[in-house]
Amino acid sequence: MTHNDNQQTSEDNTGAGRPNQPPAGPHPRPEPGVSPWNAPVVAEFRANGGRMGGQFAGSDLLLLTTTGARSGREHTNPLGFARIDDRVYVVASAGGSPKDPDWYRNLLSHPMVTVELPGEDSRECVAVPLAGGERDLVFKEIVRRHPGYGDYQDRVERRLPVVELQPSPEFGSGEVRNLADKLFQIHAWLRGQLTNVRGEAERYLAERDSVTTGQPVGLNLQIRQHCLAFCESLHFHHTSEDAMFPGLAEGFPHLREPVERLVEEHRVVDRVRGELEGLLADVRTADPVRFMAELDRLTEELEAHLDFEEEALIPTLSEIPFPPA
């Protein structure tokens, strides 16, 4: 647990491929960057299934891939971790630096991350910083197991963030033989994320209503991170479809009218998505009641959109192999 997690990757460096790597959400990503400092550690981790030698022998180490908050490029960092009650946590200690590490700032902007654990396949996760008493309890247990984090905390005035790496909802299983299978896979992932956001919001509202503090209550980080993960994935999915649809309509003229409708619906859904993200601009003052109303509206419009897309496109897409020739 002694790795300096403040080391960030250079945007000009590219790391080794990620074994058994699922797509980001349901979409493929380019190779992430790895800094010269971290490259040997990453290579050894992947070559040996996470078993490390040398200065990291016996350490609990994982690889975390985040998306740059400003650059939009992916970066991979080796980090110490703790597994408590089958949950995986990392601490943004930055080796006792007074500033949060870059990877932590990245995941606040882009909650969807990739996690590689020793002896396990890569997994997509939603990175959620803990807050309040929950953070303190988990950090206390981490320090009990790995006292070095207590030393890091003693060196700095900032409260070291503790981040839970929560496995993302499954976005479909089984063999993908054609574009119809792929579309169903993507839609299943989006529906799963939206269900997760709703569940977190409903639990939050129930807890909020059971406590009377006299102070306005903002949306917590749990909801914020899951909502941003969903919104980001939805936007990317629709952007990809907008680029693909003209060629689809050209090759299959009978799809021209439904494709035009789908593109128009993308604008409507994207506007609602933007409004939902706007609610999260400041989690301390966000209105949970308005948030739920917007979430209901987005859910209704998105479900209708996905249902129509499947009805209109599936018969044709089932005849196109995936990946396409």
Side-chain angles (χ1 to χ4, degrees):
M1 303 289 284
T2 59
H3 182 74
N4 183 353
D5 61 1
N6 195 40
Q7 293 294 330
Q8 180 58 284
T9 57
S10 167
E11 293 187 6
D12 296 326
N13 291 288
T14 301
R18 290 168 284 178
N20 303 314
Q21 174 62 28
H27 299 288
R29 298 185 293 198
E31 207 63 42
V34 181
S35 72
W37 170 274
N38 286 329
V41 181
V42 171
E44 181 181 357
F45 183 100
R46 289 173 173 160
N48 300 312
R51 295 184 299 275
M52 304 297 294
Q55 63 174 319
F56 299 118
S59 298
D60 294 324
L61 207 67
L62 60 73
L63 302 184
L64 179 69
T65 298
T66 61
T67 301
R70 292 190 298 269
S71 69
R73 297 189 61 183
E74 287 194 316
H75 309 279
T76 298
N77 286 280
L79 302 174
F81 75 94
R83 195 192 297 266
I84 303 173
D85 296 331
D86 207 31
R87 296 185 174 187
V88 176
Y89 302 94
V90 291
V91 180
S93 64
S97 169
K99 294 183 179 181
D100 291 331
D102 289 346
W103 62 261
Y104 179 71
R105 292 191 290 270
N106 288 347
L107 64 82
L108 289 179
S109 296
H110 302 286
M112 291 298 301
V113 300
T114 300
V115 178
E116 298 171 56
L117 288 159
E120 300 181 19
D121 289 344
S122 300
R123 65 177 68 172
E124 288 300 320
C125 292
V126 179
V128 181
L130 304 186
E134 182 184 16
R135 178 267 177 201
D136 294 340
L137 286 174
V138 172
F139 186 69
K140 183 178 179 180
E141 176 61 20
I142 291 175
V143 170
R144 186 186 71 79
R145 301 182 184 195
H146 308 283
Y149 285 118
D151 297 336
Y152 290 150
Q153 182 65 86
D154 291 340
R155 295 181 197 173
V156 297
E157 294 182 1
R158 67 184 178 95
R159 197 161 175 256
L160 298 184
V162 178
V163 180
E164 181 181 355
L165 302 174
Q166 301 177 357
S168 172
E170 293 295 332
F171 55 83
S173 59
E175 183 181 1
V176 176
R177 298 159 298 178
N178 51 56
L179 282 179
D181 291 343
K182 188 63 179 176
L183 186 67
F184 276 131
Q185 185 188 66
I186 293 171
H187 285 187
W189 191 89
L190 289 171
R191 287 182 170 116
Q193 279 285 42
L194 191 57
T195 298
N196 202 14
V197 170
R198 167 166 286 282
E200 292 292 346
E202 289 176 345
R203 283 190 290 274
Y204 172 79
L205 287 175
E207 293 174 4
R208 185 205 65 167
D209 292 341
S210 66
V211 177
T212 304
T213 63
Q215 298 294 327
V217 181
L219 296 169
N220 64 14
L221 279 171
Q222 184 95 345
I223 303 173
R224 177 188 183 275
Q225 295 297 92
H226 281 293
C227 187
L228 286 180
F230 165 76
C231 290
E232 192 169 46
S233 300
L234 177 64
H235 177 70
F236 185 79
H237 171 54
H238 281 173
T239 300
S240 300
E241 285 189 334
D242 287 344
M244 177 192 72
F245 278 168
L248 188 65
E250 182 177 350
F252 302 92
H254 68 283
L255 294 180
R256 188 176 305 279
E257 184 174 338
V259 160
E260 289 176 354
R261 171 177 163 177
L262 288 169
V263 170
E264 183 61 33
E265 288 183 0
H266 284 178
R267 299 190 184 97
V268 175
V269 174
D270 197 60
R271 173 179 52 77
V272 177
R273 176 198 60 79
E275 293 173 3
L276 189 60
E277 284 186 315
L279 295 178
L280 301 171
D282 189 341
V283 294
R284 295 169 299 175
T285 60
D287 180 354
V289 175
R290 184 184 167 206
F291 174 87
M292 288 302 298
E294 293 299 307
L295 185 58
D296 287 340
R297 181 160 61 96
L298 175 61
T299 299
E300 182 178 354
E301 294 191 19
L302 179 62
E303 287 290 355
H305 171 75
L306 296 181
D307 288 345
F308 173 74
E309 185 170 55
E310 291 166 359
E311 179 182 355
L313 301 185
I314 289 303
T316 300
L317 296 186
S318 63
E319 303 298 324
I320 304 176
F322 185 88

